[in-house]
Amino acid sequence: SQCLVEMNSIFGRLRAFLASLASGVFAHRILAWWVRGAWARDVRDEVDNLLRGLPGNVTTEMDLAVGDLTDLLRRSPHLATVLDHRPWPEVRRSLLELDGGKEFIAEFDKFLDRYGDRTAGEVDISRPRWRDDPSLLLRVIAGGLSGEPGAHRRQHRTQVEVANSAQTRLVAAARRGPLGIVRGWWIARLCRVARAGLGLREHPKFTVVKLMGVVRPEIIAAGEELACRGQIADSKQVWHLGVFELIDALADPKIDMRSELAARVDQFNRDKLRRPPIAIASDGEIPSLVEDREGIPPNALPGTAASAGVVEGIAHVITDPHREVLEAGEILVAPFTDPGWTPLFVHAAGVVTEVGGLMTHGAVIAREYGIPAVVSVAGATERIRTGQRIRVDGRRGFVEILEE
C-alpha cells in the first residue's frame, strides 16, 4: 500500500514542472509562427538554434558529469585497467587499493546519489538501476579516454553561445521597423520562456525514474517474500504481477500464482522475439511505409532530419549499451535511445536511430549538443555495420555508407 501512496504522489511532484514546460513548448511554437513574417527573413533558422545548450536540463547535466568523471580518470589512467566485466563490488575494492582510486570512488558515489536510479530502458522498472549495476557507466567513462580533456564542457559552452547568439539576432531583427519596440520585447520574451521551459523537458521523466528507485526495492522484497511462501516459483516472477495482484497475494498466503505466472513468463519470452513495427494506428492498422528518396543520393538511407549538421565518421552499431562502448568520435547507430543511453552522446560525433521523431529523446538531446542526427532510418542497425565509414546529413535527413 505504501508503494501506491508513493506512486500517486508523483502527480503532485510533476505539477511543479508541467506549467513551465508547457509554457516553453508553446512559446517555441509561437516563435516559429512569428518568424514567418518578412521581418525575420534572414533569421528564421535561428529558432532551432535556441534549442542548443538549454539551461537546467537534468539529462545534459548528467552527461556532463559523466564527462567530468572521465577527466578525473584521465589523471590516473591506470585505474581504467580494473574497469572490466567483473562485478561492481570487486571492481570497487580494486579501485580503493590503487593511487587515485579513493578520489574517483568518492566522485562516482556522488554521481550515483544523484543519478543512480537511471539505466538503459529505465521505464521498465524490472531493469537493474545504475546503483545496482554501474557497469555501463564505467565502460562509458573508460571509453571517453580517447577524447580530449574537457571537450564535453567546451562543446556545451559552444552550444550555449550558439543559442545566445540566436536569441540576440532574433531580437535585433524584431526591433527593426515601425513596430520594433513592441515586437522586440515580445520576441525576447518568447525566447526566454522557450529556453527556460524546454530546459525542463527531462524533469518529469527524471521524477518518475526517481520514484521507481523508491518503489523497486519494495517490489523486490515482496517477490522474495512470495517466493519464500511458495506462492510464486521464483522471486523474479514478481515483475509479471499487477500492483493489486501483488497486494492481494501479500495479504492472503493461500493465493497460489505459480501456474498463472508460468504462462505469463512463457508468453513474455515469445513476445521478446517479435520486432515491433515503426508505427501502429489507433485502430490497430500497421501502415506500410514508403521510403521518400526525393533529393537524396541513390544509395543513401532516408530518415527524418532531427539535428542539423553533416558529419563523417566510423559507425558503431549498438543494440545493448550494457555490452558495448562507444569510443570518442564514433557515430552512434542504435534502434532507439532513452536517457539511460545518453552518456554515450558525450563521445558521439553523430547519431542514427531506427525509430524516433523530432521531439523524441534522442533528437532533442542531439540538437542540444549540436550533434548531427537522423532518426526513423528503417533497418539502420542491420544495413549499417560497425566499422563502416558513413556520412550523417542531419539537415536533409539521410545517411550514406561511404566505405566498408
Side-chain angles (χ1 to χ4, degrees):
S1 60
Q2 185 60 35
C3 289
L4 283 177
V5 171
E6 291 290 342
M7 292 166 68
N8 288 330
S9 71
I10 191 69
F11 299 104
R13 301 179 196 178
L14 291 181
R15 277 198 292 268
F17 308 122
L18 294 181
S20 297
L21 174 56
S23 298
V25 172
F26 288 133
H28 187 259
R29 290 183 177 177
I30 293 170
L31 191 58
W33 181 84
W34 266 82
V35 296
R36 295 176 183 176
W39 65 271
R41 184 177 299 109
D42 298 327
V43 294
R44 286 180 185 139
D45 292 341
E46 300 292 356
V47 174
D48 288 336
N49 286 333
L50 287 174
L51 303 178
R52 306 283 185 94
L54 292 170
N57 187 317
V58 67
T59 300
T60 301
E61 292 171 352
M62 177 187 73
D63 295 343
L64 292 174
V66 170
D68 292 342
L69 287 170
T70 298
D71 282 348
L72 183 60
L73 185 65
R74 192 174 278 111
R75 300 178 197 170
S76 305
H78 59 282
L79 298 179
T81 59
V82 301
L83 303 183
D84 50 24
H85 295 279
R86 290 180 294 168
W88 166 237
E90 186 177 338
V91 171
R92 184 186 179 90
R93 286 193 298 270
S94 298
L95 286 173
L96 290 173
E97 295 171 357
L98 297 174
D99 291 339
K102 290 183 179 179
E103 182 184 3
F104 178 82
I105 287 294
E107 293 302 315
F108 192 70
D109 284 345
K110 291 179 183 178
F111 181 93
L112 291 180
D113 286 343
R114 171 74 169 152
Y115 304 109
D117 294 319
R118 311 215 81 156
T119 189
E122 60 193 10
V123 294
D124 181 353
I125 194 172
S126 70
R127 298 218 174 181
R129 309 288 110 174
W130 283 341
R131 70 173 72 257
D132 304 321
D133 179 14
S135 56
L136 166 61
L137 279 174
L138 295 173
R139 286 196 290 273
V140 169
I141 291 167
L145 291 175
S146 57
E148 297 180 3
H152 61 295
R153 291 285 178 180
R154 290 193 297 273
Q155 182 187 22
H156 184 257
R157 286 194 295 270
T158 298
Q159 300 312 311
V160 173
E161 291 169 2
V162 168
N164 290 338
S165 177
Q167 180 170 334
T168 299
R169 293 192 64 200
L170 283 165
V171 173
R175 287 175 176 168
R176 301 189 190 106
L179 299 177
I181 295 178
V182 176
R183 185 169 57 207
W185 173 87
W186 176 237
I187 295 301
R189 174 69 175 169
L190 289 175
C191 289
R192 289 194 300 271
V193 172
R195 281 185 57 74
L198 289 172
L200 298 174
R201 180 186 181 276
E202 298 291 322
H203 278 67
K205 174 78 175 296
F206 184 60
T207 302
V208 171
V209 169
K210 294 286 283 184
L211 170 67
M212 289 183 176
V214 174
V215 174
R216 189 172 185 276
E218 301 301 321
I219 297 177
I220 291 174
E224 292 172 350
E225 173 65 19
L226 294 177
C228 183
R229 294 180 188 176
Q231 293 175 262
I232 63 177
D234 187 313
S235 61
K236 294 180 180 179
Q237 290 183 344
V238 71
W239 303 115
H240 296 275
L241 288 173
V243 173
F244 293 106
E245 287 179 320
L246 177 58
I247 293 173
D248 291 342
L250 287 171
D252 185 357
K254 296 179 181 179
I255 296 178
D256 188 343
M257 299 292 296
R258 287 175 294 183
S259 177
E260 173 63 24
L261 287 181
R264 293 182 188 181
V265 170
D266 288 342
Q267 183 63 51
F268 175 77
N269 290 332
R270 289 194 296 270
D271 289 341
K272 283 197 303 184
L273 302 177
R274 296 185 180 184
R275 188 179 182 88
I278 291 179
I280 301 177
S282 58
D283 60 0
E285 179 185 359
I286 300 176
S288 58
L289 303 179
V290 179
E291 292 185 345
D292 182 6
R293 307 199 62 85
E294 183 177 354
I296 71 171
N299 297 322
L301 310 179
T304 299
S307 180
V310 179
V311 65
E312 294 183 12
I314 302 301
H316 194 147
V317 180
I318 295 181
T319 56
D320 183 352
H322 290 96
R323 297 178 181 176
E324 299 176 77
V325 175
L326 190 74
E327 300 292 338
E330 292 182 324
I331 296 175
L332 172 64
V333 181
F336 66 92
T337 64
D338 66 11
W341 286 65
T342 56
L344 299 174
F345 282 49
V346 175
H347 311 315
V351 175
V352 179
T353 63
E354 293 182 328
V355 298
L358 294 178
M359 292 306 293
T360 50
H361 176 267
V364 171
I365 297 299
R367 286 197 297 272
E368 184 169 344
Y369 285 10
I371 300 172
V374 180
V375 299
S376 295
V377 180
T381 59
E382 297 173 354
R383 300 162 77 177
I384 301 172
R385 294 191 298 276
T386 295
Q388 288 180 322
R389 188 169 186 83
I390 65 174
R391 178 185 295 123
V392 179
D393 191 322
R395 182 176 62 86
R396 291 188 288 172
F398 62 83
V399 181
E400 290 182 274
I401 299 175
L402 302 178
E403 59 185 41
E404 296 300 322

